[in-house]
């Protein structure tokens, strides 16, 4: 199947419009990069947005049937292949990726915080474009603990509901994740997280093991910056393949300064991201959505490409993982691939992986208000005094 090529002004088809497919964070980066080249896109294209973006009209993908000769830049990382296949099905063949645009020096002082974060991880987009058409995961989360040093009321990963959180059995999880790796072509970014990952003093086992994997391009450890890692974990964090993403919720800045000072001393790569808002997913009660409502929620969800590996299971959504584990929703086996089931053959597991990737909704959507990046924002990291109550009706 035809692949995209890195965008170059000289490669454009003259007389045809320039369209940036993706009116979100990568669309923002594409806009700034094109501006550096003296180019203003004629349109943005997006399935979930209307109106304008940076003053440029946003069109729906259906309109591309009439613009099949346009120069189209795919400004999405999570859904790169999905968009590429869709565009080719509509007869669009002048398809470009952003690899060359992301290598440019862009004006960080004008970027949103999300755009700065994605610009810092430009190599992940590069890797996705390089492996297009393959069984590649853009971002894959590896949960190492349910424990957290904070109890954020609106945590979409549902840590606020755990009364007795536990560390994950890393030996078993690594063995099962190795099985997953044996069946895929590539993982662009492995995200190691919890909870708070440094609550698990042995997280170095995961870092060391997967930093040595040729199938994993980069590893990001996501922390709230409240814990200075122990010396053994700090040693592992010095690997050039690893970067630590520190979430700054404004109220934990003193502890963050201590963490950063240690990282500077030990030459650990890190990225500090400040959060002004979160998306409100609501509680984990059943909503009673129709299939069409769940599909719409899933389509607009910025986490629908966020595969999460937890206790041997690969889920499409971090909320799904923990809602099932807590018993707040039923155990829907069709919504994950279970690598802890040693009776399943590689052929069966591979078919299940493709089926999981092709899903247009999951049952967890019925227990969520939808983390749409354009709405439902709440103040980040509001602390609950005790674990939140929920109805445990599906787990003994």
């Amino acid at each position: 199947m035809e692949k995209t090529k890195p965008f170059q002004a000289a490669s454009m088809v003259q007389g045809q419009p320039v369209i940036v497919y993706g009116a979100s964070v990568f669309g923002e980066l594409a806009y700034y990069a094109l501006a550096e080249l003296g180019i203003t896109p004629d349109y943005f294209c997006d399935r979930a947005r209307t109106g304008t973006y940076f003053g440029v009209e946003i069109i729906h993908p259906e309109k591309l049937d009439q613009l099949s000769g346009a120069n189209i830049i795919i400004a999405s990382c999570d859904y790169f292949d999905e968009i590429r296949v869709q565009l080719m099905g509509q007869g669009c063949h002048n398809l470009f990726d952003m690899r060359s645009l992301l290598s440019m020096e862009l004006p960080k002082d004008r970027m949103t915080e999300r755009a700065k974060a994605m610009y810092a991880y430009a190599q992940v987009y590069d890797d996705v474009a390089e492996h297009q058409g393959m069984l590649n995961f853009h971002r894959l989360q590896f949960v190492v603990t349910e424990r957290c040093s904070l109890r954020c009321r609106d945590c979409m990963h549902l840590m606020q509901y755990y009364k007795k959180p536990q560390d994950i059995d890393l030996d078993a999880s690594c063995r099962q994740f190795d099985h997953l790796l044996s069946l895929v072509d590539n993982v662009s970014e492995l995200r190691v997280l919890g909870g708070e990952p440094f609550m698990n003093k042995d997280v170095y086992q995961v870092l060391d093991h997967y930093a040595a994997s040729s199938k994993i391009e980069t590893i990001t450890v996501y922390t709230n910056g409240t814990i200075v890692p122990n010396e053994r974990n700090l040693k592992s964090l010095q690997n050039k393949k690893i970067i630590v993403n520190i979430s700054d919720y404004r109220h934990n800045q003193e502890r963050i300064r201590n963490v950063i000072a240690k990282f500077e001393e030990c030459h650990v790569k890190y990225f500090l991201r400040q959060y002004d808002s979160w998306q409100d997913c609501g509680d984990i009660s059943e909503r009673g959505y129709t299939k069409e409502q769940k599909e719409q929620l899933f389509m607009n969800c910025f986490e629908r490409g966020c595969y999460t590996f937890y206790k041997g299971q690969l889920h499409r959504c971090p909320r799904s993982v923990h809602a099932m584990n807590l018993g707040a929703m039923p155990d829907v086996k069709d919504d994950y691939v279970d690598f802890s089931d040693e009776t399943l053959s590689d052929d069966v597991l591979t078919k299940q992986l493709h089926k999981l990737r092709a899903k247009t909704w999951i049952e967890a959507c019925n227990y969520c208000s939808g983390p749409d990046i354009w709405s439902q924002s709440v103040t980040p990291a509001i602390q609950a005094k005790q674990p939140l109550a929920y109805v445990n009706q599906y787990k003994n």
Side-chain angles (χ1 to χ4, degrees):
M1 184 176 285
E2 183 180 343
K3 295 185 178 182
T4 63
K5 51 192 174 185
F7 180 84
Q8 300 289 343
S11 300
M12 291 193 304
V13 177
Q14 299 302 313
Q16 292 291 341
V18 175
I19 300 175
V20 176
Y21 195 124
S24 184
V25 58
F26 278 98
E28 177 180 345
L29 294 174
Y31 179 84
Y32 286 130
L34 289 172
E36 292 292 315
L37 299 174
I39 299 171
T40 300
D42 295 278
Y43 303 102
F44 279 97
C45 180
D46 202 282
R47 288 179 291 192
R49 297 193 68 190
T50 57
T52 62
Y53 193 50
F54 289 98
V56 177
E57 181 184 355
I58 302 171
I59 61 174
H60 192 272
E62 289 179 353
K63 288 194 175 182
L64 296 179
D65 290 340
Q66 305 162 24
L67 297 165
S68 59
N71 302 287
I72 304 178
I73 303 168
I74 300 179
S76 173
C77 195
D78 280 353
Y79 316 117
F80 185 97
D81 264 319
E82 179 183 324
I83 293 170
R84 180 178 65 90
V85 172
Q86 171 213 320
L87 290 172
M88 293 181 63
Q90 291 180 268
C92 302
H93 294 286
N94 300 324
L95 305 182
F96 298 90
D97 57 66
M98 292 177 57
R99 281 176 283 185
S100 57
L101 299 179
L102 292 173
S103 68
M104 297 169 58
E105 189 68 31
L106 302 182
K108 295 180 184 178
D109 58 318
R110 291 157 59 189
M111 293 180 186
T112 62
E113 288 297 321
R114 291 188 69 242
K116 290 177 185 176
M118 294 301 103
Y119 187 40
Y121 292 99
Q123 75 278 5
V124 177
Y125 180 99
D126 293 349
D127 187 65
V128 169
E130 184 68 27
H131 292 88
Q132 56 189 278
M134 302 171 70
L135 185 52
N136 175 51
F137 287 92
H138 156 226
R139 51 180 168 140
L140 210 167
Q141 300 188 152
F142 189 112
V143 180
V144 297
T145 185
E146 300 160 355
R147 298 192 295 146
C148 194
S149 52
L150 300 177
R151 187 183 288 123
C152 301
R153 184 195 67 186
D154 302 297
C155 173
M156 73 164 298
H157 291 208
L158 307 181
M159 298 297 107
Q160 68 274 39
Y161 292 97
Y162 278 98
K163 294 180 179 179
K164 296 180 179 179
Q166 304 292 323
D167 287 340
I168 306 304
D169 182 340
L170 298 183
D171 289 336
S173 285
C174 285
R175 184 174 64 254
Q176 292 151 356
F177 192 80
D178 286 347
H179 193 178
L180 166 61
L181 274 185
S182 72
L183 302 180
V184 305
D185 296 303
N186 184 261
V187 175
S188 299
E189 181 191 11
L190 179 66
R191 297 183 171 186
V192 177
L193 72 170
E196 166 51 49
F198 295 125
M199 294 286 283
N200 188 331
K201 62 182 178 59
D202 296 325
V203 68
Y204 69 87
Q205 296 178 14
V206 175
L207 303 178
D208 290 349
H209 187 61
Y210 293 114
S213 172
S214 61
K215 286 192 175 183
I216 295 175
E217 300 299 326
T218 188
I219 298 173
T220 307
V221 183
Y222 280 77
T223 176
N224 58 33
T226 59
I227 297 176
V228 176
N230 63 38
E231 292 300 319
R232 183 61 187 84
N233 286 330
L234 280 168
K235 181 180 179 181
S236 295
L237 292 172
Q238 293 171 340
N239 190 292
K240 63 181 180 180
K241 205 173 188 176
I242 299 174
I243 186 171
V244 182
N245 189 303
I246 306 171
S247 299
D248 182 358
Y249 304 133
R250 312 292 181 171
H251 62 69
N252 57 340
Q253 290 180 335
E254 182 176 348
R255 286 189 283 182
I256 284 177
R257 283 193 290 269
N258 294 333
V259 170
I260 288 177
K262 195 65 175 179
F263 285 172
E264 295 279 2
E265 176 189 336
C266 297
H267 305 288
V268 172
K269 289 188 298 182
Y270 67 90
F271 177 83
L272 179 66
R273 178 178 174 185
Q274 292 184 330
Y275 285 83
D276 294 315
S277 62
W278 276 353
Q279 279 63 47
D280 183 9
C281 298
D283 62 22
I284 42 176
S285 59
E286 186 175 1
R287 306 296 201 273
Y289 294 144
T290 64
K291 176 178 177 292
E292 290 73 23
Q293 287 174 315
K294 286 184 280 192
E295 285 180 329
Q296 186 62 43
L297 204 72
F298 188 79
M299 177 62 67
N300 293 338
C301 179
F302 76 91
E303 290 282 38
R304 68 185 173 95
C306 192
Y307 294 83
T308 300
F309 193 82
Y310 171 80
K311 293 183 177 179
Q313 297 175 354
L314 181 69
H315 290 247
R316 280 296 300 263
C317 165
R319 193 175 175 90
S320 167
V321 166
H322 296 290
M324 288 188 195
N325 187 56
L326 289 162
M329 66 169 285
D331 182 4
V332 183
K333 298 188 183 302
D334 198 43
D335 279 357
Y336 61 87
V337 180
D338 192 357
F339 285 87
S340 68
D341 185 349
E342 297 181 356
T343 67
L344 300 178
S345 68
D346 286 357
D347 284 344
V348 169
L349 289 169
T350 300
K351 289 177 182 178
Q352 290 182 355
L353 283 174
H354 284 288
K355 184 178 179 181
L356 184 68
R357 287 162 63 90
K359 279 186 170 293
T360 58
W361 61 276
I362 56 175
E363 191 55 41
C365 297
N366 199 29
Y367 298 80
C368 181
S369 299
D372 183 340
I373 62 173
W374 305 112
S375 63
Q376 300 179 312
S377 292
V378 295
T379 301
I382 297 173
Q383 295 300 292
K385 293 182 179 179
Q386 58 188 10
L388 301 187
Y390 67 98
V391 178
N392 182 342
Q393 57 183 327
Y394 298 105
K395 186 176 181 180
N396 295 327

